[in-house]
């Protein structure tokens, strides 16, 4: 038997910069749609961010089979599909040629090698080299930095046509699309570190909805579940929509895109114009198994991705206050992460500063202490999640790292987050014991979709009486967890190092 690999499957594994969609994944998304769409000669499909052309190619396969009885002649059938049913907007000139090659079997739709002849080389896959519109140093459409992206014509602008217009209807002369499907660009560098890159994918979803399709399905990062980074309005729109019929969640992006690590995982969804109701949420588990439940997306301020975790959280919230009321805001002492203390005291008023490089002396005048906690015991962890929101090879998480207690007259840089403040050191130690429990870290994990731990991340963690230490066994009993729920927590969270 000869090995004949699909070139688009190979392409999907090439790079983290442009995350290409494997054909298998594209077909899983297409499977969510009513299959009668592929049996109608009137159904119109649009990929507004085509890269490899995999969605259009796989749709074409289904239409060629589905329209066999309606249009018996194969060439007439292909011509009708290519000219009247499939459309794309490429994100770069290179991907426009790749997409045409996938769909038309030629990078030029007017070539003699194209399986369906067009009068121009674009066919129905368009690409226009447009530029950002700068307003006070930012693009008014995508927020790109003028300092970074105002460059020569010989360089890619990354001004994607579909989201750089007030009215996307003008791209295809007010054409109505039944299905919009795609895998949009995820982020745009702002010239800083990768973690500070600006999200882009939500603009494609919002723009697609302006076209009023019957169905919309896209695969995007799952970081929108918790908002932040300009995603709060998008999150609220998604959570309050009762038209998202299906949401398929992948906690580990490698389960969708082999070899690609996207912090917080990815998801794809089916938005149905005529649907009103709760959402079927499918959690991907090992060996291709999906755990499914039907529930409201707006039950909590953030989207809790795991169905079994929702049942656990409901039990927690039923019995009292949560820890987010106690946790301090990010960078409480207002000392930047690059600051370092000195080896010797420069003034009698100096405090002890903990940075990522250890402890040193730091001027009292250089810190902020609005709630007067300097002379108390302070329980802290690192602001960044242990392991970068990526599970170990065993599929479990540690979640937090660098758990410790700051003594009176000790402060920390913004590398750390203050979780609790106490007059009594024994209570601080009891809180540390609570933090090391698996149930604490499991509940914290449910509100995390990036590497950063914030005050809001503790909204599902119950506040305890810290006059005593706590163990997982005591907490499981206190909240009445079932054996299945306990096993689930134990399988997800590794012992605290």
């Amino acid at each position: 038997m000869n090995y004949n690999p699909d070139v688009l499957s190979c392409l999907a594994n090439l790079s983290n910069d442009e995350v290409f969609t494997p054909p298998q994944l594209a077909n899983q998304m297409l499977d969510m749609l009513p299959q009668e769409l592929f049996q109608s000669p009137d159904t119109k499909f649009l990929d507004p961010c085509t890269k490899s052309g995999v969605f259009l190619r796989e749709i074409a396969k289904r239409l060629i089979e589905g329209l066999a009885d309606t249009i018996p002649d194969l060439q007439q059938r292909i011509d009708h599909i290519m000219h009247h049913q499939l459309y794309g907007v490429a994100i770069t000139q290179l991907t426009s040629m790749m997409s045409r090659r996938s769909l038309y079997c030629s990078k030029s739709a007017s070539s003699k090698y194209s399986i369906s002849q067009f009068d121009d080389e674009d066919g129905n896959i368009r690409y226009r080299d447009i530029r950002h519109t700068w307003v006070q140093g930012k693009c008014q459409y995508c927020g790109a930095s003028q300092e970074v992206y105002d460059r020569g014509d010989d360089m890619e602008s990354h001004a994607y046509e579909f989201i750089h217009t007030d009215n996307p209807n003008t791209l295809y002369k007010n054409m109505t699309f039944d299905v919009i499907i795609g895998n949009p660009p995820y982020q745009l560098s702002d010239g800083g570190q990768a973690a500070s890159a600006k999200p882009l994918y939500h603009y494609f979803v919002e723009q697609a909805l302006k076209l009023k399709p019957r169905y919309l399905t896209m695969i995007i990062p799952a970081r929108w579940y918790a908002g932040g980074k300009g995603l709060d309005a998008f999150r609220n729109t998604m959570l309050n929509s009762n038209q998202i019929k299906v949401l398929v969640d992948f906690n580990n992006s490698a389960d969708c895109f082999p070899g690609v690590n996207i912090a917080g995982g990815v998801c794809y969804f089916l938005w149905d114009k005529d649907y009103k109701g709760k959402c079927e949420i499918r959690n991907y588990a090992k060996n291709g198994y999906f755990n499914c439940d039907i529930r409201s997306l707006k039950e909590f301020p953030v989207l809790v991705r795991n169905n079994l975790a929702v049942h656990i959280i409901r039990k927690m919230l039923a019995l009292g206050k949560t820890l987010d009321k106690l946790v301090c805001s990010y960078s409480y002492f207002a000392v930047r992460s690059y600051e370092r203390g000195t080896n010797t005291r420069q003034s009698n008023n100096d405090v002890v500063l903990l940075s990522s490089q250890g402890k040193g002396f730091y001027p009292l005048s250089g810190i902020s202490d609005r709630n007067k906690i300097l002379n108390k015991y302070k329980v802290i962890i690192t602001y960044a999640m242990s392991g970068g929101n990526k599970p170990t090879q065993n599929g479990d998480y540690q979640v937090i790292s660098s758990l410790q207690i700051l003594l009176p007259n000790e402060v920390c840089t913004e590398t750390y987050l203050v979780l609790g403040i106490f007059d009594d050191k024994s209570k601080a130690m009891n809180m540390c014991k609570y933090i090391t429990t698996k149930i604490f870290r499991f509940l914290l994990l449910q509100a995390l979709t990036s590497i950063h731990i914030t005050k809001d991340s503790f909204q599902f963690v119950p506040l305890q009486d810290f006059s005593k230490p706590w163990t997982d066994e005591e907490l499981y009993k206190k909240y009445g967890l079932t054996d299945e729920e306990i096993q689930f927590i134990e399988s997800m969270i590794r012992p605290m190092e």
Side-chain angles (χ1 to χ4, degrees):
M1 184 177 190
N2 294 327
Y3 177 53
N4 185 24
D6 186 333
V7 66
L8 298 190
S9 295
C10 300
L11 186 62
N13 293 306
L14 288 180
S15 171
N16 287 11
D17 299 328
E18 296 285 355
V19 183
F20 292 91
T21 312
Q24 180 182 8
L25 176 59
N27 278 293
Q28 289 170 1
M29 295 171 65
L30 292 172
D31 286 343
M32 295 191 300
L33 294 166
Q35 296 305 294
E36 56 265 26
L37 291 169
F38 304 103
Q39 298 170 358
S40 169
D42 300 321
T43 309
K44 286 181 168 53
F45 299 84
L46 171 67
D47 181 349
C49 41
T50 184
K51 295 190 285 289
S52 68
V54 64
F55 288 110
L56 298 175
R57 188 192 74 172
E58 297 306 311
I59 293 169
K61 289 180 180 178
R62 296 185 182 218
L63 288 171
I64 289 171
E65 180 179 348
L67 297 179
D69 293 335
T70 306
I71 310 176
D73 182 83
L74 178 59
Q75 187 58 53
Q76 290 181 9
R77 189 157 75 245
I78 290 174
D79 288 339
H80 176 84
I81 291 168
M82 300 303 171
H83 285 256
H84 303 292
Q85 294 192 263
L86 300 179
Y87 300 83
V89 181
I91 64 172
T92 66
Q93 184 176 21
L94 176 61
T95 58
S96 72
M97 292 188 287
M98 290 170 57
S99 296
R100 292 187 203 106
R101 179 65 181 81
S102 297
L103 185 60
Y104 306 138
C105 301
S106 172
K107 67 179 182 180
S108 171
S110 58
S111 165
K112 65 180 181 179
Y113 300 109
S114 175
I115 61 171
S116 184
Q117 292 293 308
F118 286 81
D119 293 332
D120 61 89
E121 65 178 17
D122 284 357
N124 284 340
I125 300 176
R126 60 181 288 149
Y127 171 72
R128 303 293 183 271
D129 184 14
I130 61 175
R131 298 287 143 172
H132 296 279
T133 303
W134 305 118
V135 177
Q136 297 181 343
K138 299 286 185 182
C139 175
Q140 73 174 48
Y141 293 105
C142 71
S145 167
Q146 185 173 5
E147 182 180 357
V148 177
Y149 289 98
D150 191 6
R151 50 201 190 183
D153 292 341
D154 59 329
M155 298 184 69
E156 172 61 46
S157 69
H158 295 287
Y160 305 118
E161 183 182 18
F162 188 67
I163 62 172
H164 283 74
T165 176
D166 292 317
N167 184 7
N169 285 286
T170 60
L171 299 181
Y172 279 104
K173 299 179 181 179
N174 296 314
M175 185 178 295
T176 299
F177 293 99
D178 298 281
V179 177
I180 298 179
I181 185 171
N183 178 9
Y186 293 163
Q187 62 187 27
L188 195 65
S189 171
D190 59 5
Q193 298 179 350
S196 67
K198 179 177 177 54
L200 280 182
Y201 53 90
H202 59 300
Y203 294 131
F204 285 85
V205 177
E206 292 166 344
Q207 201 79 323
L209 289 173
K210 291 181 182 178
L211 293 177
K212 299 179 180 179
R214 290 171 60 192
Y215 302 98
L216 168 63
T217 176
M218 286 189 174
I219 182 163
I220 57 178
R223 280 171 282 187
W224 67 267
Y225 293 173
K229 290 295 289 182
L231 293 168
D232 287 343
F234 177 70
R235 175 194 62 184
N236 292 336
T237 297
M238 295 288 279
L239 295 187
N240 287 285
S241 172
N242 57 1
Q243 293 172 282
I244 299 179
K245 190 173 184 178
V246 181
L247 177 70
V248 185
D249 175 72
F250 295 82
N251 191 53
N252 185 356
S253 60
D255 291 327
C256 242
F257 303 108
V260 177
N261 178 31
I262 300 170
V266 295
C267 68
Y268 59 84
F269 63 89
L270 175 64
W271 179 93
D272 183 339
K273 182 181 71 173
D274 297 323
Y275 180 75
K276 297 282 191 298
K278 293 182 179 180
C279 179
E280 179 187 344
I281 299 180
R282 305 173 186 170
N283 300 136
Y284 180 84
K286 295 179 180 179
N287 302 320
Y289 172 76
F290 284 91
N291 179 290
C292 302
D293 196 5
I294 297 177
R295 52 189 172 94
S296 171
L297 293 179
K298 61 182 179 180
E299 181 174 357
F300 305 110
V302 299
L303 178 58
V304 178
R305 67 195 317 165
N306 191 280
N307 293 319
L308 187 54
V310 168
H311 297 282
I312 297 173
I313 289 171
R314 288 170 181 160
K315 293 181 179 181
M316 301 293 159
L317 298 183
L319 291 184
K321 297 180 180 179
T322 49
L323 196 67
D324 57 319
K325 310 298 188 297
L326 190 64
V327 175
C328 293
S329 298
Y330 169 68
S331 191
Y332 172 82
F333 293 109
V335 181
R336 301 303 302 273
S337 58
Y338 54 74
E339 294 286 0
R340 301 289 182 266
T342 58
N343 292 328
T344 58
R345 191 182 294 274
Q346 306 297 305
S347 166
N348 290 333
N349 290 328
D350 283 355
V351 297
V352 176
L353 174 69
L354 174 67
S355 71
S356 60
Q357 299 300 310
K359 291 184 178 181
F361 295 103
Y362 195 78
L364 177 63
S365 60
I367 73 164
S368 171
D369 185 20
R370 54 191 177 276
N371 294 331
K372 307 301 180 185
I373 70 171
L374 175 62
N375 292 316
K376 298 182 182 295
Y377 294 94
K378 300 157 289 277
V379 177
I380 64 168
I381 61 170
T382 51
Y383 169 60
M385 178 181 173
S386 174
N389 208 359
K390 186 178 180 180
T392 67
Q393 291 183 345
N394 295 327
D396 55 12
Y397 298 81
Q398 179 167 304
V399 188
I400 63 174
S401 60
S402 296
L403 171 62
Q404 54 190 297
I405 298 173
L406 292 179
L407 303 177
N409 209 43
E410 292 185 346
V411 300
C412 57
T413 68
E414 63 186 1
T415 300
Y416 301 91
L417 189 68
V418 180
L419 303 193
I421 305 118
F422 301 93
D423 294 318
D424 186 341
K425 186 177 181 180
S426 65
K427 289 186 176 181
M429 294 177 67
N430 289 339
M431 184 184 196
C432 287
K433 178 66 174 175
Y434 178 44
I435 292 170
T436 64
T437 63
K438 290 186 176 183
I439 193 170
F440 178 100
R441 290 177 287 134
F442 170 83
L443 292 166
L444 174 59
L445 181 64
Q446 304 316 306
L448 295 177
T449 54
S450 76
I451 64 172
H452 296 137
I453 301 174
T454 66
K455 179 182 177 71
D456 291 340
S457 303
F458 298 86
Q459 61 186 285
F460 302 135
V461 181
L463 187 61
Q464 305 296 341
D465 174 7
F466 294 119
S467 64
K468 67 176 292 296
W470 290 91
T471 66
D472 274 312
E473 290 70 23
E474 290 175 310
L475 293 165
Y476 293 154
K477 183 177 181 179
K478 176 179 178 179
Y479 293 102
L481 300 193
T482 65
D483 290 341
E484 180 188 13
E485 292 166 341
I486 293 171
Q487 184 179 4
F488 179 57
I489 294 172
E490 295 281 337
S491 67
M492 282 196 67
I493 306 299
R494 62 186 303 187
M496 186 74 182
E497 293 179 356

